[in-house]
Amino acid sequence: MTATVAMFKDWSIEHKPTNALFDSPKEAKEWEKFLFDKELVEQFWRDGFLLNVPLLTEEQCDKLLEDCKYFTDADTLHPGHSLLYEYHSNQSGDPDNVLIHLLGHWRVTQLFHDLIFLPQAVVPASQLLCENQLKSVRFWHDQMFAKPAHHGGVVAWHQDYSYWTRTKPMMHLTVHIALDDQTEQNGALHYIPGSHRWTRNGAPIPVTDFNFKDMESIKEILTPEEKQAFTPVCGKLKKGCASFHHPLAVHGSYGNRSDGPRRAAVLNYFADGVYSDTDEELLKGSVVPKGQKMDGQLYPLVYDTNWMMC
């Protein structure tokens, strides 16, 4: 794989942060302060998600928002767009409900590259990938969601692992970071408590809308018990705060009818040792033979549990 595209660096060749966004821990004891306490971990496994975990300062968010313009502003699109795994200027296809959605921007800008290594995200991730076990953490892929003011689109209810069954076993985690305050009016993320226990013979609930457009389509395939338990909780994430959620936690977000944009950076991780379950492309340009461990240039180790003991 080439390291540069059109003279722009492919940041995926760098498997450590550059300190452009934060200062990395230098000693083992510095990692410990990022661990979640027992109560938070128990809450995660009970509800399937955690809300409003502080991760970034307002200044850090503003720096990332400057880079967001490379992907949301047609006049300043980054020449490294070809490195992205996916780019949707409007995934819904409806001009009255616009959803900008992309994957792979960690390869394009230095700040989004560094974000995937954020200790406040990767250290607690080691506690939330497998119940009652600490796991070293690898990066899967990032996402950006942007909903413009007044006509921002929805993200239909879904379980993340429904899209990820090409990787096994299921030891995955999503960290959703609000780059703007999220409200009921601007399309805040919502969760269904306890839905991380909803499966179909051990498999996730099938995807009902790959373009996220039909908000309520999942209800067509829920059991009566699941429908009865379908009580959404609005995350109301503050700028710089994050939700951590289980790969089977049902979540979604409504449209943005506010006067300002609603933007979020999403980091997806899996446990070191997760393997490919397909010989087809996992992400654009990435093939890992079936049965082979997920690692290499595009799936860096972002946290090793041994770092806390060095």
Side-chain angles (χ1 to χ4, degrees), residues 73 135 231 234 256:
D73 186 341
K135 292 286 185 179
T231 306
C234 182
N256 181 7

PDB file of all heavy atoms in Angstrom, residues 73 135 231 234 256:
ATOM      1  N   ASP A  73     -17.233  20.777   3.833  1.00  0.00           N
ATOM      2  CA  ASP A  73     -17.314  22.002   3.042  1.00  0.00           C
ATOM      3  C   ASP A  73     -16.815  21.710   1.629  1.00  0.00           C
ATOM      4  O   ASP A  73     -15.636  21.418   1.428  1.00  0.00           O
ATOM      5  CB  ASP A  73     -16.479  23.099   3.694  1.00  0.00           C
ATOM      6  CG  ASP A  73     -16.627  24.448   3.011  1.00  0.00           C
ATOM      7  OD1 ASP A  73     -17.078  24.475   1.849  1.00  0.00           O
ATOM      8  OD2 ASP A  73     -16.270  25.473   3.629  1.00  0.00           O
ATOM      9  N   LYS A 135      -8.471  -6.330  27.948  1.00  0.00           N
ATOM     10  CA  LYS A 135      -8.000  -6.715  26.628  1.00  0.00           C
ATOM     11  C   LYS A 135      -7.142  -5.602  26.032  1.00  0.00           C
ATOM     12  O   LYS A 135      -7.462  -4.417  26.178  1.00  0.00           O
ATOM     13  CB  LYS A 135      -9.183  -6.978  25.686  1.00  0.00           C
ATOM     14  CG  LYS A 135     -10.006  -8.209  26.043  1.00  0.00           C
ATOM     15  CD  LYS A 135      -9.267  -9.485  25.691  1.00  0.00           C
ATOM     16  CE  LYS A 135     -10.123 -10.715  25.921  1.00  0.00           C
ATOM     17  NZ  LYS A 135      -9.403 -11.970  25.555  1.00  0.00           N
ATOM     18  N   THR A 231     -37.608   1.904  24.968  1.00  0.00           N
ATOM     19  CA  THR A 231     -37.777   3.200  25.640  1.00  0.00           C
ATOM     20  C   THR A 231     -36.503   4.012  25.454  1.00  0.00           C
ATOM     21  O   THR A 231     -35.535   3.859  26.211  1.00  0.00           O
ATOM     22  CB  THR A 231     -38.061   3.001  27.142  1.00  0.00           C
ATOM     23  OG1 THR A 231     -39.177   2.116  27.303  1.00  0.00           O
ATOM     24  CG2 THR A 231     -38.365   4.328  27.807  1.00  0.00           C
ATOM     25  N   CYS A 234     -32.242   9.814  25.648  1.00  0.00           N
ATOM     26  CA  CYS A 234     -31.477  10.810  24.905  1.00  0.00           C
ATOM     27  C   CYS A 234     -30.148  11.057  25.602  1.00  0.00           C
ATOM     28  O   CYS A 234     -30.116  11.374  26.795  1.00  0.00           O
ATOM     29  CB  CYS A 234     -32.260  12.115  24.789  1.00  0.00           C
ATOM     30  SG  CYS A 234     -31.409  13.383  23.826  1.00  0.00           S
ATOM     31  N   ASN A 256     -31.729  17.034  12.531  1.00  0.00           N
ATOM     32  CA  ASN A 256     -31.324  18.314  13.095  1.00  0.00           C
ATOM     33  C   ASN A 256     -32.224  19.419  12.554  1.00  0.00           C
ATOM     34  O   ASN A 256     -32.177  19.731  11.362  1.00  0.00           O
ATOM     35  CB  ASN A 256     -29.857  18.603  12.747  1.00  0.00           C
ATOM     36  CG  ASN A 256     -29.371  19.925  13.328  1.00  0.00           C
ATOM     37  OD1 ASN A 256     -30.068  20.572  14.099  1.00  0.00           O
ATOM     38  ND2 ASN A 256     -28.157  20.317  12.952  1.00  0.00           N
TER      39      ASN A 256
END
